[in-house]
Amino acid sequence: MYPYKEIEKKWQRKWEEMDFYRTPEVPKNKYYIMEMWPYTSGNIHIGHFRNYAFGDLRWRWEKMNHRDLLHPFGWDAFGLPAEEAAIKKNLNPLEWTYNNIETARRTIKKLGLSYDWKKEITTSDPEYYKWTQWLLIQLFKEGLLYRDESYVNWCPHCKTVLANEQVEGGKCWRCDSKVEKRKLKQWFIKITDYAEELYWDIEKLTNWPKNIREMQRNWIGRNEGAMIQFKMEDGEEFEVFTTRPDTLYGVTFICISPESVLSEKIAKKNDQVKKYIQESLLLSNIERTREKTGVNTNLKAIHPLTGKELPVFVANYVLGNYGTGIIMGVPAHDERDFEFAEKFHLPIKVVIIGNPPAPHRAYTGHGRMVNSEKFNNMNSKEALNNIVQLLENKGIGYKSINYRLKDWLISRQRYWGAPIPMIYCDKCGIVPVPEEDLPVLLPPVEEVNFISRTRSPLADHLGFMKVNCPKCGRVAKRDPDTADTFVDSAWYHFRYLDPRNNKEIFNREEAKKWLPIDLYIGGAEHATGHLIYMRFITKFLYKLGYSPVNEPAVRLFNQGVVRDENGEVMSKSKGNMKDANELIEEIGVDAARIALLFFGPPESDIDWNEEHLKGSTRFLNRIYDISIEDINNKKIKLDASDREKSLYKKVEKTTKKVTEDIERFSYNTMIASLMELLNQIEVYNKKDVLYQYALRRFIKLLAPIAPHISEEIYSLFGEKDSVFLEDWPEFDPEGILEEKFTLIVQVNGKLRARIEANKGIEKEEALSLALECENVKRFVKRDSKKVIYIPDKLINIVS
């Protein structure tokens, strides 16, 4: 076993002495790499290690390509993950968080990763959350942060509200508890003002994974249609959004969501409706859409064009976050409405006839208009715009765009978060904390009962809550809620640029130097949460003149997860996680990196396999053994004859392959090609100058993958202080050219073709080339069974 512990300590110490990962002040050829940062709810595990190894490999390769690099690291320290973990351990979140940060930092430094620790940030440090609070105040000033009473997602276990993006399958993203609906006054960020820009600018993200872009499009959910005004029989007006105004004449009922303000009004006078609403709000959105249920309000609405009375229901399949929370029931042309109408024996009126028609079910396509007054016999696509025009002329409708995306709910009824910097004054209303008074500090943990209840623990801390109004000086009170952790991570890419700046959120000149992020690495599970928020805040700061870019990252790469031997995703909660510390103690950092990179494609989920650990160790031992035995520091000079040899051609082809594989993140195939090259080097004449050439090139190619052992071996060549100060090798174009030969093709022993082919091709490839030739195919019968192949000379197909 090569002495990995000694080698790793030696080179990590040397890199530190060289200040090797320091970010240059004036980048000439900049490259900004970021990985999504970890929650501080435990030590670094192999899932983190694998993710960070991707970024480190890229840093080292870009360094050898003469890029000026920014590679920062930080800690997502606030929020539910850290707080819940602390409570389970019967510790306070501050103590738990900072102990974990210290432990995790030590582990990461043992991994020898290329982070500039001078750029380190922690969201729970006052110097960070001061600027989170500043950001909230700017949003408030721009009319994008507001407080409203609304039905919200409530986790009964975490005892806090959740944004829509934090509800997964009707359950809390953190604890899997069933989410309920509660009506509370909360703080929202008006992200919907940016919905159009967020939607269309997805087209700019050409180097983001296609599935992430599609998930964002679907989550934003842009739908063109019309807003149509209806009236209740008592004259009260309400609006309905529809993507199919051409079906307006087919409306036979109205359905209102349980969350709607109109439902609440009806419930005040109707106990049956009130009971139904209470029961519906206990169900998740998924449960509500499985079975169509509802209650008849015994009220009537008036059709805006025909004047006919329409029965009004409260129905749980109508969700409050779609459109206005009220739908017009068109059962002949909507499948959900069809199911509801059949269940409640409501009329089904056909207004579009398709080809073929749709008996006994809803027809959802376009076709010829019927039962639609003056629009009869018109094509429904044409009628759609004409009906909207009619509504506009009458002042009872207009073209509209609806978004699935809803405003971002940021209030959390928890202690461990950035206090929302707002003050409530009986005279002045809501007043933001003066910027010069930031940060609004969390009270000491020993003064707060941070165990979650149904309201924020800060509400019970009189010293925190009591404050004078900044406008009138009267006694007022602070907002007791803290901001969701996703607010912290929505802008961290800016703070990394200038983490010690006490005067402003970041220096704009630094932003011009480094933004946008060139490569952002993280999990696909953040597609419809963090990444949308990050894009939004970037656009917001761009409009304020702080950010030079309106999209945060040029390239996004999503790594897969690590599964255990049973196919279960490794996680702390399941107790099946392999600790990174244990792994590197067992086999060393470089061997662990190679194993994690070789398990499978980086973007794919991988299955943990102890055999791969043994294989990576054997690979490095072989490299070390041949290097220590046979290396010399003499200058290498090849002649023309060397360049004709197979080992030279293998080296050049491998150089090309490794370069391309790094660029496209094909790390597993890159390692496989290096293993093939090593096999050829090992059997070559060690006294030949080409052996030394191949060995030196091999170490350069290996360096980004296994940096410690590569540095150690490269130092024996008598070259520069670090292999990473060398140029990344360029392959010889002449060296990768395949040698050609003329393949003689026979059918039953008779010459039928001559084909140019690459030397060394296998029998199957030679046969495939032969059968592409028309003059061969016409003589070959289907029952041909025998093929005779003489490598690099002849193939005979017996037919």
Side-chain angles (χ1 to χ4, degrees), residues 137-181:
I137 290 170
Q138 307 317 305
L139 289 162
F140 182 81
K141 288 179 177 177
E142 296 295 318
L144 294 172
L145 179 67
Y146 67 95
R147 197 163 183 257
D148 191 23
E149 187 174 46
S150 174
Y151 279 102
V152 295
N153 304 304
W154 177 265
C155 175
H157 176 266
C158 297
K159 293 184 172 60
T160 190
V161 298
L162 305 171
N164 291 333
E165 294 83 352
Q166 293 169 327
V167 179
E168 299 171 353
K171 294 181 179 180
C172 172
W173 70 298
R174 287 302 304 169
C175 70
D176 281 340
S177 295
K178 184 178 173 181
V179 171
E180 303 169 357
K181 292 285 186 182

Side-chain angles (χ1 to χ4, degrees), residues 42-153:
N43 195 8
I44 296 300
H45 53 68
I46 59 168
H48 292 122
F49 184 11
R50 184 174 184 245
N51 186 22
Y52 303 155
F54 297 153
D56 182 78
L57 190 160
R58 188 72 184 214
W59 186 95
R60 294 177 187 280
W61 183 66
E62 296 289 353
K63 181 77 172 175
M64 296 176 80
N65 281 288
H66 307 292
R67 304 299 289 266
D68 295 322
L69 291 130
L70 168 60
H71 192 198
F73 197 81
W75 311 95
D76 200 3
F78 265 152
L80 276 175
E83 191 167 10
E84 283 295 298
I87 291 169
K88 285 179 183 176
K89 298 285 184 180
N90 199 28
L91 296 168
N92 69 63
L94 185 144
E95 179 185 359
W96 169 253
T97 296
Y98 283 90
N99 284 343
N100 280 336
I101 288 175
E102 184 59 36
T103 301
R105 188 190 293 113
R106 283 198 302 269
T107 299
I108 289 174
K109 288 189 174 182
K110 282 184 186 177
L111 301 178
L113 299 168
S114 51
Y115 295 121
D116 181 354
W117 289 100
K118 293 182 180 67
K119 297 289 186 180
E120 182 183 13
I121 56 179
T122 305
T123 59
S124 54
D125 287 349
E127 57 264 33
Y128 186 89
Y129 72 77
K130 167 184 178 178
W131 298 107
T132 300
Q133 292 171 340
W134 176 90
L135 186 59
L136 292 173
I137 290 170
Q138 307 317 305
L139 289 162
F140 182 81
K141 288 179 177 177
E142 296 295 318
L144 294 172
L145 179 67
Y146 67 95
R147 197 163 183 257
D148 191 23
E149 187 174 46
S150 174
Y151 279 102
V152 295
N153 304 304

